[in-house]
Amino acid sequence: HVQLVESGGGSVQAGGSLRLSCAASGIKYRHYCMGWFRQVPGKEREGVAAIGSDGSTSYADSVKGRVTISKDNAKNTLYLQMNSLKPEDTAMYYCAAGLRRVGWVVRAIFEWGQGTQVTVS
């Protein structure tokens, strides 16, 4: 049974930092593409960043230069380090596991996490 569990969300002031984590069970990160998405009420879920099985990374223009996606294959944990946070970064953030990525968007997703809320004021 595959399960992704996010943590690390919270409330911060503009300019602050947060690190999101996504711990997996039932899969090995090194075999798949992993990514972060975010969603605000009334809008579609959008891709934020993705990391391939080879460790290659890609970022949405809206976050490029402010966030870093990484993974620890030994711990089977995905991270999103977010710096210089802006109010427009406020959203529910989800991690996802998929078979491939197109730029910063993971495709053929087979598992989602439950989400962690990030609020920037």
Side-chain angles (χ1 to χ4, degrees), residues 91-107:
M92 184 71 79
Y93 283 72
Y94 300 88
C95 64
L99 302 181
R100 62 183 182 273
R101 68 176 180 88
V102 178
W104 59 87
V105 183
V106 176
R107 302 292 191 189

Side-chain angles (χ1 to χ4, degrees), residues 2-6 22-24 27 29 34 95-97 111-114:
V2 179
Q3 187 175 25
L4 304 178
V5 179
E6 299 100 333
C22 177
I27 60 169
Y29 276 174
M34 303 295 301
C95 64
E111 191 65 31
W112 290 95
Q114 84 288 352

Side-chain angles (χ1 to χ4, degrees), residues 6-27:
E6 299 100 333
S7 62
S11 296
V12 296
Q13 292 187 337
S17 299
L18 283 174
R19 188 175 81 155
L20 306 184
S21 299
C22 177
S25 58
I27 60 169

Side-chain angles (χ1 to χ4, degrees), residues 1 14 22-23 32-33 59-60 62 73 75-76 88 90-91 97:
H1 174 66
C22 177
Y32 301 101
C33 293
Y59 301 91
S62 58
N73 288 335
K75 295 183 178 179
N76 227 26
E88 50 263 46
T90 295

Side-chain angles (χ1 to χ4, degrees), residues 38-62:
R38 65 187 182 186
Q39 188 172 25
V40 297
K43 292 190 176 182
E44 291 188 359
R45 194 170 295 188
E46 63 174 5
V48 174
I51 185 166
S53 57
D54 62 354
S56 59
T57 60
S58 186
Y59 301 91
D61 289 344
S62 58

